[in-house]
Amino acid sequence: MPMIPDKPTVSIDIDLIRRNFPVLQTQVHGKPLVYLDNGATTQKPRVVIDKLNELYESKNSSIHRGVHFLSEQMTGEYEHARETVRNFINARNTNEIVFTSGATGSINTVAFSFGEKYVKEGDEIIVSEMEHHSNIVPWQMLCARKKAKLKVIPFDENGELIQNEYKLLFNDKTRLVAITQVSNSLGTVNPVKEMIRFAHDHHVPVLIDGAQAVQHSSVDVQDLDCDFYVFSGHKVFGPTGIGVLYGKEIMLDALPPYQGGGDMVDCVKFEKTTYNELPFKFEAGTMNYTGAIGLGTALEYIGSIGFDAITQHEKSLCAYTHNKLKEIEGLDIYGNAKEKISIFSFLIQGLHPLDTGMILDKMGIALRTGTHCTQPVMDHFQITGTIRASMAFYNSFGDADRLIEGLKKAVSMLK
Ligand code: PLP
């Protein structure tokens, strides 16, 4: 973690940005809200809230099914959102962008579809020890269905994946690697590009879980060369209940559909049904079209700020918060990778995380306590949970100061 002397100058107008997020202007227990639970979900800018209102107030209609004005208009907005997502992650083609219910929905789609087609008894799937449960359990379920095996890349004491151990896991039974780009409990940024290259050298495709990555820095799926990439709308300032599955066209084309229903079909006969083309083959039933359009608006909003400014601000905020946390006696940070984002998991000796979280809540500070859906990470450190402060680009140095003040008060009350 780089040492920085004090609050640096940043090229982001944080006050202006914060005014774009109505919830950041609210009070909790009579104190101005400090929202540090962005790893769980992010707040929504005014443009996204207004967009959703506009859709329901004056445009609502089901997509892809009507010839009437409202339906055509909504279909146009939905497909525009797909193009916005394509552009956001630099996919080659909108055929490669499937809307799902979230990162979890996207991973389950691949686990089922890819698993049905390519995984058989004795095959192996590689995940890492720092995965969110969403990127473990669908693979375990696949392994149970197919009598396949799950192999796990361990991480070291700093929370970095051990690359030599990763390489040793490959053999002629390896069918897929599924790893997170950024850990939601350690903040580690994994060297996924190099890991993808290694897997491809062994002819193994790779799924990247980008649920904690896309909101912090720009992602280019062509540059990464991943085969699948997933993320959730609600963690990237968009609505909940919407997510994205990117898949290389050649991969998605070869896979069977995950769910059957309306819209994913071409011709339905009792003798035989044929399926729609990409990406609709993977979008069964009435989709969350307002969610998709709201997500498009959120991504356009991020584009208007730009990742150069976002990344620079977050890096400074990360270093500042890290250094301030280290000043608190008895505070241990879990996750000290060289490359990390502003997610801080920590414990303070003698303090229970839950008590600490409740005291901070009374001070208007929202953070998370528990396992953060990464029980294997907790098992690694032989702890039952941590306190997690996770930041977004709208967090300020003032938020970091309020966190430190709150923690010091909790120490004085509980020790
Ligand atoms: N992957 C990671 C790294 C996450 O942090 C999360 C949620 O916290 C998920 C997957 C699951 O996302 P969702 O619950 O939005 O499907």
Side-chain angles (χ1 to χ4, degrees), residues 3-74:
M3 293 299 288
I4 52 162
D6 206 347
K7 300 168 194 179
T9 325
V10 289
S11 62
I12 198 167
D13 187 343
I14 196 72
D15 291 335
L16 183 72
I17 281 171
R18 289 174 70 82
R19 284 200 293 278
N20 291 334
F21 290 82
V23 82
L24 298 181
Q25 319 308 317
T26 60
Q27 301 215 331
V28 168
H29 303 306
K31 310 273 176 8
L33 171 67
V34 173
Y35 186 75
L36 298 174
D37 195 15
N38 295 284
T41 199
T42 54
Q43 300 301 344
K44 318 305 166 200
R46 168 63 66 201
V47 279
V48 170
I49 299 165
D50 286 351
K51 186 72 199 176
L52 293 177
N53 280 336
E54 176 205 318
L55 293 176
Y56 283 119
E57 276 178 14
S58 58
K59 294 188 170 165
N60 185 46
S61 181
S62 189
I63 52 166
H64 293 152
R65 287 172 198 176
V67 289
H68 61 84
F69 178 77
L70 288 184
S71 178
E72 288 200 346
Q73 187 177 231
M74 195 63 107

Side-chain angles (χ1 to χ4, degrees), residues 290-306:
T290 53
I293 297 165
L295 170 59
T297 305
L299 301 185
E300 281 163 6
Y301 171 77
I302 295 171
S304 73
I305 297 165

Side-chain angles (χ1 to χ4, degrees), residues 39-40 101-105 107 130-135 180 182-185 209-212 230-235 240 242 372-373 388:
S101 59
T104 304
I107 295 168
M130 66 172 73
E131 298 309 313
H132 187 279
H133 297 164
S134 290
N135 202 27
T180 194
V182 173
S183 156
N184 70 308
S185 53
D209 176 357
Q212 297 290 346
V230 309
F231 65 95
S232 293
H234 71 102
K235 290 187 200 283
T240 191
I242 189 74
H372 323 299
C373 293
R388 182 184 73 179

Side-chain angles (χ1 to χ4, degrees), residues 126-131 135 151-167 169 177-183 186-196 207-208 335-339 377 380:
I126 297 177
V127 296
S128 89
E129 196 184 6
M130 66 172 73
E131 298 309 313
N135 202 27
K151 294 293 193 86
V152 183
I153 316 161
F155 62 78
D156 65 17
E157 72 280 10
N158 290 324
E160 293 180 342
L161 292 179
I162 304 172
Q163 295 301 319
N164 285 342
E165 300 272 354
Y166 169 59
K167 292 175 181 166
L169 294 179
V177 174
I179 45 169
T180 194
Q181 189 168 7
V182 173
S183 156
L186 301 170
T188 310
V189 180
N190 288 317
V192 290
K193 189 170 171 180
E194 291 71 27
M195 294 174 79
I196 292 166
L207 175 143
I208 299 295
N336 290 291
K338 275 197 262 352
E339 291 294 326
V377 172
H380 177 107

